[in-house]
Amino acid sequence: MEAQPLLTPYKMGNFRLSHRVVMAPMTRLRSYENVPQANAALYYTQRATQGGLLISEPAGVSDVTQGYPETPGIWTEEHVEAWKPIVDAVHAKGSIFFCQMWHCGRASDWFWLEGFDGIEVHAANGHLIEQFLKDDLNDRTDKYGGNLENRARFCLEIVQAIIDEIGADRVGVRLSPYLDILQSSKSNTDALAVYLAEALSKLNIAYLHAVEPRSVCVDGKFKIPHALFPMRKAFDGTFIVAGGYNREEGNKVIEEGYTDLVAFGRQFLANPDLPKRFELNAPLTKYDRSTFYTQDPVVGYTDYPMLHA
């Protein structure tokens, strides 16, 4: 039987992936006092596969970057030591593990002590970096505000600083220029998206991870807008899409060349063995939205069933 496009191998720079089903970064609020907990090792290893790519929940680089309670940090030795067994456990399953960082100003001096394979810069979803990018959120009058080049400067300087620390082949960037968050409008969105994609392409980063606009309801069904093609065309490197994808849509966009990899969030949360379920076309467990951010160490975190359970 011919392999599904989602389950075909892919070479992402120096990383060899056995399939194209990526675990998207998801805030989970279970790192008490910003320290990653032991149960996170179970959470991530449940979703780890040989040659799979996992992106961690966002980790803050200082105590002033934590916009939500109980999110993990990576700015103290205690944080780094807590991450080590989690990363080791994921690597023992054969997975590639990138750490998503938000409100990044500079690569942490502690970073490589806990062994992540790379960093994903969180420049999406209305957080600090995206607030510089969007013209209706950025009202600065200095070199970081005004025209498109100035608004992109902060993001690109951060990415360059991290590249200088760890190398471009270990840096990914997540963007959501088409997503309306914080009442942000879509003025000149295509120009912003293409400019960033072209600029990041020149930096030779490991991948660009882009979020689709919110799904629209057509004839009673929600459909993905598929608005990211301008970014895909402008970026010469590994492209990851996210936002409302399922097995059918994921296979379709890879087969059509719209993307290289597809990131899944809520489906991966509720189905730890998502690649296997896609392979077998097995039913998916429905996620329980009420437990996304409850801070319970088990319920809604590590208690979703595997196929063999």
Side-chain angles (χ1 to χ4, degrees), residues 130-149:
E130 186 168 73
Q131 291 172 33
F132 275 77
L133 297 174
K134 297 294 183 70
D135 55 2
D136 55 346
L137 297 178
N138 182 344
D139 58 2
R140 299 175 71 102
T141 57
D142 59 8
K143 67 178 183 178
Y144 294 100
N147 63 35
L148 180 56
E149 291 78 8

Side-chain angles (χ1 to χ4, degrees), residues 235-268:
F235 184 74
D236 184 19
T238 297
F239 196 67
I240 306 175
V241 298
Y245 281 92
N246 57 22
R247 177 179 179 269
E248 180 182 359
E249 283 279 352
N251 281 315
K252 183 173 183 287
V253 291
I254 290 176
E255 185 173 28
E256 294 177 347
Y258 179 78
T259 190
D260 300 304
L261 310 172
V262 181
F264 296 86
R266 289 166 292 185
Q267 289 190 30
F268 228 139

